[in-house]
Amino acid sequence: MELVTIDDVRAAAERIKAVAVRTPLVRMGEAWVKPESLQPVGAFKIRGAYNAVASLRPDGVVTHSSGNHGQALAYAAKEFGVPCVVVVPEGTPRVKTDAIRGWGAEVVVVPPEQRESVAEKTAAERGLTLVPPYDHPAIIAGQGTVGLEIVEDLPDVEVVLVPVGGGGLASGVSTAVKALRPDARVIGVEPELAGDAAQSLAAGRVVVWEPARTFRTIADGLRTCLSELTYAHLNARLDGIVTVTEDEIRAAMGHLARRARLVAEPSGAVATAALLSGRVPAGRTVTVLSGGNVDPDLLRQVI
C-alpha cells in the first residue's frame, strides 16, 4: 500500500495556507500545546478537508462525520461554491450539527452504524463525491501539515502526542515528524473506551469495535475505527499508543482551560491527558489539541 510522503504534506501546506490558521505552540508548564481549536471551524479538520476539495475539484461533496470533519467539509465546499451533505450519527453534539448547517451544508442524522452506508448511498444517488473523514491520502496529507508546523516551530522536539480516532491526523503528523526529525517519538492517544487502535497495532491488523462499544466515551470525535490506509501509516510510523480514562480526559479539559487558557473538547484533550498521566516518554513535548467544539454545559462542568 502506497503511503503519503512528506512531499504530499508540503504540497498540501501550499494549498491550504490561505485558509487554515498556522496555529502557534502555546507553552504549558514544561510542554507545548498545538491549539487546532483556533482554526476557522474550531478543529484541525479544515486542513484535510480543504486539501481534498482543492485537489479533487468536485461538483458536490458528501461525507459522514462525528461533527468536526463535517464542519470542515462544509466550510471548504462553501469556499468552492459546491453543495455539501453531511451524514452524522445520532448523539452528535448540537454545537457541531448547528455549525455544519451554519456553513450551508445539509445534515442527515442516522443511527451510528449507518453513517458510512448512508453517505455512500447519498453519493451514488446525487452524483456527489464522497470525501471521507480520514480514509483518503489527501485528507492524511492535509492533516500532516500539523506535524510540519510543529517541527518548523520547535526543531528539537522530542515527543509529539496526537489523538487517534480514525487515524487521519496521527497518520499525517507521524508522516511529517518522522520525515523531518526521525529521532522524535510520535505517540498516539485514544480513550480506553474506544481503544481499537491500540488493539489493532498490538494484533498486527485492523480490529473494529462496534459503535455500541466506542460510543461509551465522552470523546465523540474519537469513536471511529482505523481504516486499512490509516492502519498502514500508523503501523509504519507511530512509535506507540497509550489510552486514557474518561476522568483523565475531563481533568485535562479543565487543566487546559485553567493553565493554558485554551478551550478543548474531550477529543481535543486526550493528548494532554496522556501527558498529565505520566505514561508517555519524557522530553521536549508537544501535545496536539485537535479541537475546541465543546458543549458549553460540559465545559462548565470540567472547569
Side-chain angles (χ1 to χ4, degrees), residues 49 54 100 136 172 177-178 181 201 253 256 260 280-281 284:
I100 293 170
H136 194 287
V177 172
K178 301 301 282 190
R181 185 162 171 76
L201 292 173
M253 292 172 66
L256 284 161
V280 296
R284 293 171 66 81

Side-chain angles (χ1 to χ4, degrees), residues 75-96:
Y75 180 97
K78 186 174 182 179
E79 288 287 306
F80 284 91
V82 298
C84 176
V85 178
V86 180
V87 180
V88 301
E90 295 169 346
T92 299
R94 184 174 175 179
V95 65
K96 295 185 177 182

Side-chain angles (χ1 to χ4, degrees), residues 154-283:
L154 191 67
D156 57 350
V157 62
E158 296 173 303
V159 181
V160 177
L161 305 177
V162 58
V164 180
L169 177 61
S171 294
V173 168
S174 60
T175 293
V177 172
K178 301 301 282 190
L180 299 174
R181 185 162 171 76
D183 292 340
R185 302 192 67 184
V186 183
I187 308 295
V189 186
E190 65 182 345
E192 282 185 0
L193 296 184
D196 59 282
Q199 187 176 353
S200 295
L201 292 173
R205 60 180 175 82
V206 175
V207 177
V208 176
W209 288 21
E210 295 302 315
R213 190 176 184 187
T214 62
F215 266 62
R216 297 173 300 163
T217 180
I218 193 176
D220 58 280
L222 304 180
R223 292 168 176 165
T224 48
C225 298
L226 302 182
S227 67
E228 293 293 341
L229 180 63
T230 55
Y231 169 81
H233 282 80
L234 300 189
N235 189 51
R237 295 169 177 168
L238 206 63
D239 291 294
I241 192 163
V242 299
T243 58
V244 292
T245 68
E246 300 297 288
D247 286 343
E248 287 172 334
I249 294 170
R250 290 174 179 269
M253 292 172 66
H255 185 89
L256 284 161
R258 292 188 299 269
R259 295 292 298 275
R261 278 71 63 189
L262 293 170
V263 172
E265 62 187 272
S267 305
V270 296
T272 297
L275 174 69
L276 297 176
S277 76
R279 296 193 296 274
V280 296

Side-chain angles (χ1 to χ4, degrees), residues 43 45 49 62-74 84-93 96-97 100 107-112 114-116 119 130-134 215 220-224:
K45 292 285 192 176
V62 61
T63 194
H64 56 91
S65 170
S66 58
N68 285 339
H69 174 66
Q71 290 184 62
L73 190 64
C84 176
V85 178
V86 180
V87 180
V88 301
E90 295 169 346
T92 299
K96 295 185 177 182
T97 55
I100 293 170
V107 175
V108 178
V109 182
V110 300
Q114 295 180 18
R115 53 182 279 179
E116 291 188 41
L130 179 64
V131 181
Y134 51 87
F215 266 62
D220 58 280
L222 304 180
R223 292 168 176 165
T224 48

